[in-house]
Amino acid sequence: MARNKFDIDENLESPFNIKHFKRALVYIRKQQKPMIIAFLLSAISAGVALSAPLIIQHVVDVTIPSKDKSALLFWSGMTLLTIIVSVILATIRSRIMTRVGQDIIFDIRTDLFKHLQKLPFQYYDDRPQGKILIRVVNYVNSVSDVLSNGIINFILEILNLIFIAIFMFAVDVKLSFVILGGLPIFAGVILLIKNKQRRAWQAVSNKSSNMNAYMQESISGIRVTQIFTREKRNEGTFTRLSTNYRNVWMRAMYFNFLIPFSVDNLATIVTTAIYFVGLITLGPEEITFGVILAMSSYAARFWQPILNLSNLYNSFINAVSYLERIFETLDEPVTVSDIPNARTLPPIQGRVTFDNMTFAYDPGHNILENLSFDIKAGESVALVGPTGAGKTTVVNLISRFYNVSDGRILIDGHDVAEVKLESLRSQMGIMLQDSFIFSGTIMDNIRYGKLDATEEEVIAAAKTVCADEFIREFENGYMTEVNERGSKLSQGQRQLISFARTLLANPRILILDEATSSIDARTERLLQKGLNELLKGRTSFIIAHRLSTVKNCDRIMYVADKGIAESGSHDELIAMRGRYYRLYTAQKMEA
């Protein structure tokens, strides 16, 4: 799909609207108590700071002309006190809001992670991992400050403007209208660029996501890169992506800087106008020098909240593009989930029935059509056939990693679509071809699917799959720390540990997808002895390309042409001299 590429921009499924921001208020309401405290501290701090120009006016117009030294010292002390009080209150408020911001990050990121845990395989099939990770990490970080400090600062700056306007008009009405004269021009600038600014930050979001996806892909495939000496080519690709990101970032910053540029120039023009109107038009007999100083101070203070609001507006526009991505992820439907009134699947025997089942990853392109078969409890079944025929799809559908397009899949007569997923998957053991090892100890990795397992049970499972011997060769044995994806282990060792993890869960249905493909012949023979005992009484589905490993299965099904082309025991299929016979004899001749 187009979205599953690092160089394709992701188009939003729906445009942003105010409802998205209202949804963000859910996270803000959880922090309303500390935010109210922070707001009150900010309001008090602002009110104290606004008294300073009035003190200056009184000192210039009254105290200095009267040469009252004691009063001058008093008002100087009061001015210093206003500064100290403002700084202390601002510091306390900053500490409160730092914690609030981190709590909001925690809540949003937790909700995202929980939702990602529920999304079906199809979601991850369609997207690079890097484009998912950037939403959980970078985008959440980017919106947290807007949702915490941004809300309080917005309200506070509005109140600041109101308070400043009250103080201004209390000092001089005519000069107050001079200060307000720049607002229509500023409003026009905002209206002119707002849509362009939002689109610019959407482009930044896209290019950042693309670059992150390519970095994640490159790091994951670094061994292949170095094997094929692709470093220079990859550097060129990254440079192109990074250049695209830089270009859209510069365009977005152009709009960002345009607003404070406008505010600074308007503030300068307004301040100049105050002196012009006050000293020339009105004349010194109508206005004192202290009033002009106070009004020029209020002019700077009046346009400072507007500058702050413009910066908040910039931050909001930036956050909008990230909120769109975050809520788009949270709105991604969980298509594979428990239906209303889903039943708990009781302990199963292991009978598996496909009832006229059809499946397609993409509508109109069926992988399997009208597939029907019945597997008895305890029966071992091998799925063989050409690559891409749908063998892995069959076993993924049994565990309901995908929903069927038509028909039913039954386990002991229970439709898997009507039972709770946890009760279904907890009774299955699945060993995938790609053996994923988590960072932690070997003991933790084997115990991953059964956290209450004792050390004795873990070791017993490892012995069954012939992993105990090589594990004990490590200095710390089962407590050996392994890296993510098990980079310190060989592929065969990773598969054996994954095998032990699957077997420890003691499943009723066992699925082995190329489980022994990376194990040497000697280990495979030893492992087969343990598997023969393990498979007794369990239904098992084994996918293998090496047909010698599945000769003893109760049934072998050849998957081809969107269904089961042949089915029977090894001897029966050989006697048919059909597709399985040709594949088996070809492998035997190559051996």
Side-chain angles (χ1 to χ4, degrees):
M1 291 188 177
R3 286 187 297 178
N4 198 19
K5 295 181 67 179
F6 60 80
D7 57 350
I8 299 296
D9 292 341
E10 294 180 290
N11 294 320
L12 288 171
E13 302 300 333
S14 59
F16 178 84
N17 56 59
I18 196 62
K19 292 181 180 179
H20 289 160
F21 198 74
K22 289 180 179 178
R23 289 176 61 181
L25 295 179
V26 172
Y27 300 100
I28 297 172
R29 292 191 191 102
K30 294 180 181 179
Q31 308 297 329
Q32 60 183 2
K33 184 176 180 180
M35 289 181 72
I36 290 173
I37 295 174
F39 172 74
L40 292 175
L41 292 175
S42 298
I44 295 171
S45 176
V48 171
L50 285 174
S51 64
L54 292 178
I55 295 176
I56 293 173
Q57 178 192 353
H58 180 79
V59 168
V60 172
D61 289 344
V62 179
T63 306
I64 293 178
S66 66
K67 299 180 181 180
D68 188 342
K69 295 182 179 179
S70 59
L72 182 62
L73 288 174
F74 171 77
W75 289 117
S76 297
M78 291 300 295
T79 302
L80 179 61
L81 181 62
T82 61
I83 296 173
I84 294 173
V85 171
S86 296
V87 170
I88 292 174
L89 294 179
T91 301
I92 297 173
R93 179 254 194 187
S94 178
R95 290 183 177 180
I96 293 174
M97 292 312 299
T98 297
R99 179 175 293 277
V100 168
Q102 288 303 309
D103 288 343
I104 289 175
I105 287 178
F106 177 84
D107 290 339
I108 297 177
R109 190 167 288 151
T110 299
D111 286 349
L112 270 173
F113 185 79
K114 287 180 179 179
H115 191 67
L116 288 170
Q117 297 289 294
K118 300 175 183 177
L119 291 177
F121 282 8
Q122 188 75 51
Y123 177 81
Y124 298 96
D125 293 340
D126 290 348
R127 293 164 178 80
Q129 295 178 12
K131 292 193 176 186
I132 300 172
L133 290 174
I134 196 172
R135 300 186 181 204
V136 181
V137 181
N138 302 52
Y139 292 177
V140 174
N141 287 342
S142 298
V143 303
S144 65
D145 192 57
V146 173
L147 297 183
S148 54
N149 281 306
I151 300 296
I152 288 182
N153 287 338
F154 179 80
I155 299 173
L156 184 64
E157 299 299 349
I158 294 294
L159 291 178
N160 272 343
L161 284 174
I162 295 173
F163 290 152
I164 293 170
I166 292 172
F167 277 87
M168 287 192 312
F169 279 94
V171 174
D172 191 274
V173 175
K174 293 181 179 179
L175 292 182
S176 296
F177 280 113
V178 172
I179 295 174
L180 297 177
L183 285 180
I185 300 174
F186 178 70
V189 173
I190 293 292
L191 292 174
L192 183 66
I193 70 170
K194 66 173 186 176
N195 290 330
K196 295 180 179 179
Q197 190 176 18
R198 176 173 178 256
R199 287 195 296 269
W201 281 105
Q202 283 182 339
V204 170
S205 174
N206 280 330
K207 302 307 180 185
S208 175
S209 180
N210 293 347
M211 187 169 62
N212 193 73
Y214 186 70
M215 288 179 64
Q216 190 277 333
E217 179 182 286
S218 298
I219 292 171
S220 298
I222 190 64
R223 289 178 175 82
V224 178
T225 294
Q226 295 183 1
I227 288 171
F228 289 96
T229 62
R230 281 264 308 195
E231 293 90 344
K232 292 294 183 183
R233 182 70 176 270
N234 288 5
E235 286 175 14
T237 301
F238 180 77
T239 298
R240 175 169 57 83
L241 294 172
S242 185
T243 300
N244 290 340
Y245 175 75
R246 181 188 62 188
N247 292 340
V248 297
W249 171 267
M250 293 300 294
R251 176 173 170 77
M253 292 307 296
Y254 165 79
F255 290 113
N256 267 27
F257 287 129
L258 187 59
I259 293 179
F261 172 79
S262 302
V263 171
D264 287 340
N265 282 279
L266 285 172
T268 301
I269 293 172
V270 166
T271 303
T272 302
I274 289 174
Y275 286 99
F276 179 79
V277 173
L279 296 177
I280 298 178
T281 304
L282 298 180
E285 68 281 356
E286 297 182 33
I287 189 170
T288 66
F289 186 64
V291 169
I292 293 177
L293 285 179
M295 292 302 292
S296 62
S297 176
Y298 280 128
R301 290 172 182 269
F302 179 81
W303 283 96
Q304 185 59 47
I306 293 178
L307 178 59
N308 293 340
L309 286 171
S310 68
N311 290 331
L312 286 172
Y313 175 78
N314 283 335
S315 299
F316 175 76
I317 291 295
N318 303 351
V320 161
S321 63
Y322 299 133
L323 280 172
E324 289 169 327
R325 305 297 185 182
I326 290 171
F327 287 123
E328 182 190 44
T329 302
L330 286 173
D331 290 338
E332 194 69 34
V334 181
T335 55
V336 180
S337 61
D338 295 339
I339 64 172
N341 302 317
R343 306 186 307 273
T344 299
L345 182 65
I348 62 174
Q349 297 300 312
R351 182 182 177 183
V352 177
T353 304
F354 276 55
D355 181 16
N356 202 32
M357 190 280 304
T358 296
F359 174 76
Y361 291 106
D362 300 315
H365 298 84
N366 292 339
I367 303 298
L368 300 167
E369 288 184 350
N370 304 319
L371 183 60
S372 296
F373 60 78
D374 186 67
I375 306 299
K376 298 177 182 178
E379 193 172 4
S380 61
V381 179
L383 299 175
V384 302
T387 301
K391 301 183 295 295
T392 299
T393 300
V394 170
V395 295
N396 281 339
L397 293 172
I398 296 173
S399 305
R400 204 187 161 209
F401 289 129
Y402 302 89
N403 290 323
V404 301
S405 304
D406 196 13
R408 299 185 303 166
I409 299 175
L410 309 173
I411 294 181
D412 288 359
H414 300 278
D415 190 336
V416 298
E418 298 177 355
V419 300
K420 294 181 179 178
L421 285 172
E422 184 178 0
S423 66
L424 169 67
R425 294 174 183 170
S426 64
Q427 300 189 65
M428 295 187 177
I430 304 172
M431 174 66 187
L432 302 175
Q433 182 178 1
D434 182 16
S435 305
F436 194 94
I437 299 297
F438 297 90
S439 57
T441 65
I442 293 177
M443 178 73 72
D444 292 336
N445 268 278
I446 297 176
R447 193 183 274 152
Y448 187 83
K450 188 179 180 183
L451 297 178
D452 59 347
T454 65
E455 289 190 13
E456 291 74 18
E457 290 174 325
V458 171
I459 293 172
K463 286 181 176 179
T464 301
V465 301
C466 305
D468 180 71
E469 182 178 349
F470 84 79
I471 293 174
R472 293 188 183 276
E473 290 177 356
F474 290 114
E475 182 178 353
N476 296 319
Y478 284 84
M479 302 312 294
T480 299
E481 293 281 344
V482 292
N483 296 334
E484 181 184 347
R485 302 195 69 88
S487 59
K488 293 182 178 180
L489 304 170
S490 70
Q491 177 63 23
Q493 289 172 334
R494 292 199 294 270
Q495 280 197 301
L496 291 176
I497 290 174
S498 298
F499 227 134
R501 177 169 60 201
T502 300
L503 303 186
L504 182 63
N506 194 27
R508 296 303 306 165
I509 296 178
L510 187 63
I511 295 172
L512 309 178
D513 188 350
E514 289 290 339
T516 61
S517 61
S518 298
I519 299 174
D520 60 79
R522 174 181 172 275
T523 304
E524 184 178 1
R525 286 193 296 271
L526 294 173
L527 177 61
Q528 195 64 46
K529 296 178 182 179
L531 283 178
N532 290 338
E533 292 299 318
L534 180 74
L535 295 178
K536 289 181 179 178
R538 289 184 173 85
T539 306
S540 59
F541 290 84
I542 304 171
I543 298 175
H545 285 98
R546 290 187 303 198
L547 303 184
S548 59
T549 63
V550 299
K551 288 173 56 177
N552 296 325
C553 288
D554 298 321
R555 192 188 312 187
I556 299 172
M557 297 194 298
Y558 191 99
V559 182
D561 301 331
K562 301 181 181 181
I564 305 300
E566 297 176 1
S567 179
S569 67
H570 172 74
D571 292 336
E572 290 171 344
L573 294 179
I574 292 295
M576 289 172 58
R577 302 180 71 86
R579 300 188 186 190
Y580 177 81
Y581 169 80
R582 291 192 294 271
L583 181 61
Y584 180 77
T585 53
Q587 285 191 8
K588 193 172 181 181
M589 290 176 64
E590 293 173 359

Short mmCIF file of all heavy atoms in Angstrom, two decimals, residues 299-325:
data_model
loop_
_atom_site.label_atom_id
_atom_site.label_comp_id
_atom_site.label_asym_id
_atom_site.label_seq_id
_atom_site.Cartn_x
_atom_site.Cartn_y
_atom_site.Cartn_z
N ALA A 299 2.05 50.52 26.94
CA ALA A 299 2.03 50.12 25.53
C ALA A 299 2.90 48.88 25.31
O ALA A 299 2.51 47.93 24.62
CB ALA A 299 2.51 51.28 24.64
N ALA A 300 4.11 48.91 25.91
CA ALA A 300 5.00 47.75 25.80
C ALA A 300 4.37 46.53 26.46
O ALA A 300 4.42 45.41 25.92
CB ALA A 300 6.34 48.07 26.44
N ARG A 301 3.75 46.78 27.62
CA ARG A 301 3.10 45.66 28.31
C ARG A 301 1.87 45.16 27.56
O ARG A 301 1.57 43.98 27.59
CB ARG A 301 2.70 46.10 29.73
CG ARG A 301 3.88 46.32 30.66
CD ARG A 301 3.45 46.94 31.98
NE ARG A 301 4.58 47.18 32.84
CZ ARG A 301 5.05 46.31 33.75
NH1 ARG A 301 4.46 45.14 33.89
NH2 ARG A 301 6.09 46.62 34.50
N PHE A 302 1.16 46.07 26.88
CA PHE A 302 -0.03 45.68 26.14
C PHE A 302 0.35 44.79 24.95
O PHE A 302 -0.32 43.78 24.68
CB PHE A 302 -0.77 46.93 25.65
CG PHE A 302 -2.01 46.62 24.86
CD1 PHE A 302 -3.19 46.30 25.49
CD2 PHE A 302 -1.98 46.62 23.46
CE1 PHE A 302 -4.34 46.00 24.77
CE2 PHE A 302 -3.11 46.33 22.72
CZ PHE A 302 -4.30 46.02 23.37
N TRP A 303 1.39 45.17 24.24
CA TRP A 303 1.77 44.38 23.07
C TRP A 303 2.56 43.12 23.44
O TRP A 303 2.65 42.20 22.62
CB TRP A 303 2.57 45.25 22.09
CG TRP A 303 1.64 46.15 21.33
CD1 TRP A 303 1.35 47.45 21.62
CD2 TRP A 303 0.86 45.80 20.20
NE1 TRP A 303 0.43 47.94 20.73
CE2 TRP A 303 0.11 46.95 19.83
CE3 TRP A 303 0.71 44.64 19.43
CZ2 TRP A 303 -0.76 46.96 18.76
CZ3 TRP A 303 -0.15 44.65 18.36
CH2 TRP A 303 -0.88 45.80 18.02
N GLN A 304 3.10 43.06 24.65
CA GLN A 304 3.79 41.83 25.06
C GLN A 304 2.83 40.65 25.18
O GLN A 304 3.11 39.56 24.68
CB GLN A 304 4.52 42.05 26.39
CG GLN A 304 5.38 40.86 26.84
CD GLN A 304 6.43 40.49 25.83
OE1 GLN A 304 7.14 41.37 25.33
NE2 GLN A 304 6.55 39.21 25.51
N PRO A 305 1.65 40.82 25.84
CA PRO A 305 0.68 39.71 25.82
C PRO A 305 0.23 39.33 24.41
O PRO A 305 0.00 38.15 24.12
CB PRO A 305 -0.50 40.25 26.64
CG PRO A 305 0.10 41.28 27.51
CD PRO A 305 1.20 41.90 26.72
N ILE A 306 0.12 40.35 23.52
CA ILE A 306 -0.26 40.03 22.14
C ILE A 306 0.83 39.21 21.47
O ILE A 306 0.55 38.25 20.74
CB ILE A 306 -0.53 41.33 21.36
CG1 ILE A 306 -1.79 42.01 21.92
CG2 ILE A 306 -0.70 41.04 19.87
CD1 ILE A 306 -2.13 43.31 21.25
N LEU A 307 2.10 39.58 21.75
CA LEU A 307 3.22 38.78 21.22
C LEU A 307 3.17 37.37 21.80
O LEU A 307 3.37 36.38 21.08
CB LEU A 307 4.54 39.45 21.56
CG LEU A 307 5.81 38.71 21.11
CD1 LEU A 307 5.81 38.52 19.59
CD2 LEU A 307 7.05 39.45 21.56
N ASN A 308 2.89 37.28 23.10
CA ASN A 308 2.80 35.96 23.73
C ASN A 308 1.64 35.16 23.14
O ASN A 308 1.76 33.94 22.91
CB ASN A 308 2.60 36.11 25.24
CG ASN A 308 3.82 36.70 25.92
OD1 ASN A 308 4.93 36.66 25.37
ND2 ASN A 308 3.64 37.26 27.11
N LEU A 309 0.51 35.84 22.91
CA LEU A 309 -0.63 35.15 22.30
C LEU A 309 -0.31 34.71 20.88
O LEU A 309 -0.75 33.63 20.45
CB LEU A 309 -1.85 36.08 22.30
CG LEU A 309 -2.55 36.29 23.65
CD1 LEU A 309 -3.59 37.39 23.54
CD2 LEU A 309 -3.20 34.99 24.12
N SER A 310 0.45 35.51 20.17
CA SER A 310 0.83 35.11 18.81
C SER A 310 1.74 33.89 18.84
O SER A 310 1.64 33.00 18.00
CB SER A 310 1.51 36.27 18.09
OG SER A 310 2.77 36.56 18.65
N ASN A 311 2.65 33.85 19.84
CA ASN A 311 3.51 32.66 19.99
C ASN A 311 2.68 31.44 20.38
O ASN A 311 2.94 30.33 19.91
CB ASN A 311 4.59 32.93 21.04
CG ASN A 311 5.63 33.92 20.57
OD1 ASN A 311 5.89 34.03 19.37
ND2 ASN A 311 6.22 34.66 21.50
N LEU A 312 1.68 31.69 21.25
CA LEU A 312 0.78 30.59 21.60
C LEU A 312 -0.01 30.13 20.39
O LEU A 312 -0.27 28.93 20.21
CB LEU A 312 -0.18 31.03 22.71
CG LEU A 312 0.41 31.16 24.12
CD1 LEU A 312 -0.60 31.80 25.07
CD2 LEU A 312 0.85 29.80 24.65
N TYR A 313 -0.39 31.08 19.56
CA TYR A 313 -1.09 30.74 18.32
C TYR A 313 -0.21 29.87 17.43
O TYR A 313 -0.66 28.87 16.87
CB TYR A 313 -1.51 32.01 17.60
CG TYR A 313 -2.13 31.77 16.25
CD1 TYR A 313 -3.46 31.36 16.14
CD2 TYR A 313 -1.40 31.95 15.08
CE1 TYR A 313 -4.04 31.14 14.90
CE2 TYR A 313 -1.97 31.74 13.83
CZ TYR A 313 -3.29 31.32 13.75
OH TYR A 313 -3.85 31.09 12.52
N ASN A 314 1.07 30.28 17.31
CA ASN A 314 2.01 29.46 16.55
C ASN A 314 2.10 28.05 17.12
O ASN A 314 2.08 27.05 16.39
CB ASN A 314 3.40 30.10 16.55
CG ASN A 314 3.50 31.27 15.61
OD1 ASN A 314 2.75 31.36 14.64
ND2 ASN A 314 4.42 32.18 15.89
N SER A 315 2.23 27.98 18.45
CA SER A 315 2.33 26.66 19.10
C SER A 315 1.06 25.85 18.88
O SER A 315 1.12 24.63 18.68
CB SER A 315 2.58 26.85 20.60
OG SER A 315 3.79 27.53 20.83
N PHE A 316 -0.09 26.54 18.92
CA PHE A 316 -1.34 25.84 18.70
C PHE A 316 -1.43 25.29 17.28
O PHE A 316 -1.84 24.15 17.07
CB PHE A 316 -2.51 26.80 18.96
CG PHE A 316 -3.86 26.20 18.64
CD1 PHE A 316 -4.45 25.29 19.51
CD2 PHE A 316 -4.53 26.53 17.48
CE1 PHE A 316 -5.68 24.74 19.22
CE2 PHE A 316 -5.76 25.98 17.18
CZ PHE A 316 -6.34 25.08 18.05
N ILE A 317 -1.01 26.10 16.31
CA ILE A 317 -1.03 25.63 14.91
C ILE A 317 -0.12 24.42 14.76
O ILE A 317 -0.46 23.44 14.09
CB ILE A 317 -0.58 26.76 13.97
CG1 ILE A 317 -1.64 27.87 13.93
CG2 ILE A 317 -0.32 26.22 12.57
CD1 ILE A 317 -2.96 27.44 13.34
N ASN A 318 1.06 24.48 15.41
CA ASN A 318 1.98 23.33 15.36
C ASN A 318 1.32 22.11 15.99
O ASN A 318 1.38 21.00 15.46
CB ASN A 318 3.28 23.65 16.09
CG ASN A 318 3.97 24.88 15.56
OD1 ASN A 318 3.57 25.41 14.53
ND2 ASN A 318 4.99 25.32 16.25
N ALA A 319 0.73 22.34 17.17
CA ALA A 319 0.14 21.22 17.91
C ALA A 319 -1.04 20.62 17.17
O ALA A 319 -1.31 19.42 17.28
CB ALA A 319 -0.30 21.69 19.30
N VAL A 320 -1.77 21.46 16.42
CA VAL A 320 -2.92 20.97 15.67
C VAL A 320 -2.50 19.86 14.72
O VAL A 320 -3.16 18.81 14.63
CB VAL A 320 -3.59 22.12 14.88
CG1 VAL A 320 -4.47 21.59 13.77
CG2 VAL A 320 -4.42 22.98 15.82
N SER A 321 -1.39 20.05 14.00
CA SER A 321 -0.95 19.02 13.05
C SER A 321 -0.58 17.73 13.76
O SER A 321 -0.76 16.64 13.22
CB SER A 321 0.24 19.55 12.24
OG SER A 321 1.36 19.80 13.07
N TYR A 322 -0.08 17.86 15.01
CA TYR A 322 0.27 16.66 15.76
C TYR A 322 -0.96 16.01 16.40
O TYR A 322 -1.08 14.78 16.45
CB TYR A 322 1.31 17.01 16.83
CG TYR A 322 2.60 17.54 16.27
CD1 TYR A 322 3.20 18.68 16.79
CD2 TYR A 322 3.22 16.92 15.19
CE1 TYR A 322 4.38 19.18 16.26
CE2 TYR A 322 4.41 17.41 14.66
CZ TYR A 322 4.98 18.54 15.20
OH TYR A 322 6.14 19.03 14.67
N LEU A 323 -1.88 16.86 16.90
CA LEU A 323 -3.11 16.32 17.47
C LEU A 323 -3.90 15.54 16.42
O LEU A 323 -4.52 14.51 16.70
CB LEU A 323 -3.99 17.44 18.03
CG LEU A 323 -3.61 17.97 19.42
CD1 LEU A 323 -4.45 19.19 19.75
CD2 LEU A 323 -3.80 16.90 20.48
N GLU A 324 -3.88 16.03 15.18
CA GLU A 324 -4.56 15.33 14.10
C GLU A 324 -4.02 13.92 13.96
O GLU A 324 -4.79 12.96 13.81
CB GLU A 324 -4.36 16.11 12.78
CG GLU A 324 -5.13 17.41 12.73
CD GLU A 324 -4.71 18.26 11.53
OE1 GLU A 324 -3.54 18.22 11.14
OE2 GLU A 324 -5.58 18.96 11.00
N ARG A 325 -2.70 13.77 14.02
CA ARG A 325 -2.08 12.45 13.87
C ARG A 325 -2.37 11.57 15.09
O ARG A 325 -2.63 10.37 14.96
CB ARG A 325 -0.56 12.59 13.71
CG ARG A 325 -0.14 13.49 12.57
CD ARG A 325 -0.58 12.97 11.23
NE ARG A 325 -0.06 13.79 10.14
CZ ARG A 325 -0.33 13.59 8.87
NH1 ARG A 325 -1.14 12.61 8.52
NH2 ARG A 325 0.19 14.36 7.94
#
